[in-house]
Amino acid sequence: MRRIWAAVTTAAVAATVLTGCGLSSDDRSDDTAAKVAAATGEVKGKVSLQTWALKPKFTAYVQGVIDGFRQRYPGVEVEWLDQPGDGYSAKVLSQAAAGTLPDVVNLPPDFALPLARQSLLLDVAKADPKLAEEYVAGGVDAYRFAGQDGTFGYPWYLNTDVNYWNSELLSRNGLDPKNLPGTLDELIAQARTMKEKSGGSTYLMSRKPGLGDLVNAGVKVMADDGRSFTFNTPEAAALLDKYRAAYKDGLLPNDVLTNTYAGNSKLFNAGTAAWTTGGGNFISSLATDNPTLAPKMLSSPAMGTPPLYVQGLSIPKSTKNPAAAVALARWVTSAENQARFAQLTSIFPSTKASAGDPFFSRSDGTNAGDAKVVAFTSLAKAKILQPVQVDDAMSTVINQQIALAISGDTSSKQALDTAVERCNQLLKG
């Protein structure tokens, strides 16, 4: 899975830092009702926008968006702040602790969560009742957090994963490129055929499962209140058992469970694996690095619920100009402005109105064009599969326990029990 943005600091660390700064929901009056009411007022005065690492590559684009906003609302003054990619999380936390967050802030859900927990963000669904009507459901849901009442961001630009297949390797090893697997059982069955035909030199399966796979198996990963993990279920154990059997039968690379594993994408690029996942523009980017492989690639929708990757714009409660802040967030995330952005880089818009844009919804007849359409149409049902509460330490624990289960060093149930216990400790700590 790929993001077009930098890795984020964990929500657990963020919450700890905020608390350590002495900032909590009790330190400031909750004037949500007043801010919501004010958000419907006249758009005028000064308003600030903070983005994340868009300069200098997208300076002209963002400035054009700002100029358009000023033309629509004459007299409004917009201050654009762009923060470097490195250290952005620390910068946001510092601004939050000092009470100096800009009026509109670029926050992925991971960053918005700790601020929402501290009651620092405006419930934009109350300030803008049309939010759920005009933006894709998964994008809106990404800013609704377990245990928190409200929606704390406008979804901005999105991405998702689709399946990519090497048609040449499929055909060479007894598989039909027109009959691609759509379920885990079908994938395992075809992986077995590939192993037998290739003598074990080529793999169809080349990654171990993660929390997203458990979600797609119907496993409830986290409790409704967001205070505990719950993925140690019989269904989760059954899924790991399937992978363990596949690994034992040599359907996955021997080193897939190790820290030195090259990775699914690298094996695909090298022609050793016939399946990988990637964003909707993966073929176009690969054409530069591996022009002989790109024409052989086929795409298909992700198995189960497609994963969703989101960037969004949040509005702090501390804004002194809620009307301009809401108007600016809506303007930046409008279908027209997002479409212009998407033509400059590998992202997809978050508005429902974009569904009628032929740039996204119609293929040009190439395999790259087909993949883009597959990805875009998948966004209508895409969701964040891994809870934003999962931090790096939790991911390490989960990956280690899954590896132990698949290798057979422990039972799947025991591995899941251990992972849940340790992750719950980290969540409370």
Side-chain angles (χ1 to χ4, degrees):
M1 298 186 293
R2 298 167 184 81
R3 301 191 185 197
I4 64 170
W5 44 83
V8 296
T9 299
T10 67
V13 171
T16 300
V17 172
L18 279 176
T19 304
C21 291
L23 184 63
S24 71
S25 56
D26 295 332
D27 294 322
R28 297 182 175 188
S29 60
D30 188 352
D31 58 349
T32 300
K35 287 296 173 65
V36 167
T40 62
E42 182 181 359
V43 178
K44 61 182 180 179
K46 296 181 180 180
V47 63
S48 52
L49 167 68
Q50 179 165 289
T51 56
W52 183 7
L54 295 186
K55 288 184 177 180
K57 186 174 182 180
F58 302 107
T59 296
Y61 165 74
V62 176
Q63 192 58 56
V65 172
I66 292 173
D67 291 344
F69 183 73
R70 294 175 63 186
Q71 290 174 9
R72 181 164 183 171
Y73 300 101
V76 171
E77 182 180 340
V78 180
E79 180 186 11
W80 175 27
L81 307 169
D82 186 71
Q83 302 296 341
D86 293 338
Y88 185 60
S89 60
K91 179 65 177 179
V92 169
L93 293 173
S94 176
Q95 291 171 320
T100 58
L101 283 168
D103 298 297
V104 181
V105 189
N106 179 188
L107 296 176
D110 318 56
F111 282 16
L113 172 62
L115 302 187
R117 282 174 170 168
Q118 299 297 320
S119 192
L120 298 177
L121 299 180
L122 188 69
D123 180 353
V124 294
K126 288 184 178 178
D128 186 351
K130 292 185 178 181
L131 180 76
E133 298 175 19
E134 298 182 0
Y135 296 84
V136 297
V140 175
D141 287 342
Y143 288 89
R144 294 170 175 162
F145 306 120
Q148 305 297 316
D149 184 19
T151 305
F152 301 103
Y154 283 84
W156 187 4
Y157 51 95
L158 313 176
N159 217 325
T160 186
D161 283 341
V162 300
N163 291 320
Y164 288 101
W165 313 89
N166 185 323
S167 61
E168 182 179 74
L169 287 182
L170 295 177
S171 298
R172 185 191 303 167
N173 294 288
L175 298 174
D176 182 2
K178 296 182 180 180
N179 185 29
L180 300 171
T183 66
L184 176 60
D185 288 341
E186 291 173 358
L187 181 68
I188 292 174
Q190 293 198 23
R192 194 174 304 280
T193 298
M194 177 160 283
K195 183 210 172 186
E196 294 171 353
K197 294 290 184 179
S198 70
S201 64
T202 305
Y203 299 92
L204 189 62
M205 300 173 66
S206 57
R207 68 166 181 83
K208 66 178 185 291
L211 286 183
D213 297 281
L214 298 185
V215 172
N216 275 324
V219 176
K220 187 173 184 177
V221 172
M222 177 166 266
D224 291 338
D225 61 7
R227 296 183 179 180
S228 62
F229 291 98
T230 58
F231 56 85
N232 53 336
T233 68
E235 293 80 7
L239 182 139
L240 295 190
D241 286 346
K242 288 184 179 181
Y243 271 91
R244 179 169 58 192
Y247 180 74
K248 182 179 179 181
D249 291 345
L251 305 187
L252 292 92
N254 288 332
D255 60 345
V256 71
L257 305 179
T258 69
N259 292 330
T260 59
Y261 179 56
N264 169 268
S265 181
K266 288 187 177 180
L267 264 64
F268 182 85
N269 292 358
T272 305
W275 168 58
T276 190
T277 58
N281 293 283
F282 181 47
I283 295 178
S284 297
S285 61
L286 186 65
T288 301
D289 301 327
N290 194 340
T292 60
L293 174 59
K296 305 171 186 176
M297 293 170 62
L298 300 174
S299 60
S300 68
M303 298 178 196
T305 300
L308 182 67
Y309 311 122
V310 189
Q311 279 288 354
L313 297 175
S314 296
I315 300 172
K317 285 184 181 178
S318 59
T319 178
K320 293 180 173 59
N321 196 347
V326 168
L328 180 57
R330 284 190 62 90
W331 177 258
V332 174
T333 60
S334 67
E336 180 181 359
N337 283 321
Q338 290 203 62
R340 288 176 52 216
F341 197 15
Q343 293 180 37
L344 298 174
T345 189
S346 303
I347 59 98
F348 294 99
S350 60
T351 60
K352 293 181 180 179
S354 301
D357 189 333
F359 179 79
F360 304 107
S361 59
R362 297 180 189 172
S363 173
D364 59 5
T366 65
N367 62 347
D370 293 344
K372 183 176 70 172
V373 172
V374 168
F376 179 67
T377 54
S378 296
L379 291 174
K381 61 177 182 178
K383 296 180 180 179
I384 291 182
L385 300 183
Q386 177 169 295
V388 295
Q389 289 87 349
V390 177
D391 62 22
D392 289 344
M394 296 175 194
S395 292
T396 297
V397 168
I398 293 167
N399 287 333
Q400 288 174 343
Q401 292 303 314
I402 286 177
L404 288 173
I406 294 175
S407 68
D409 290 340
T410 188
S411 70
S412 296
K413 185 61 167 61
Q414 181 59 58
L416 292 165
D417 286 344
T418 300
V420 165
E421 179 182 4
R422 292 181 182 175
C423 286
N424 282 338
Q425 291 172 351
L426 291 168
L427 190 64
K428 295 174 182 178

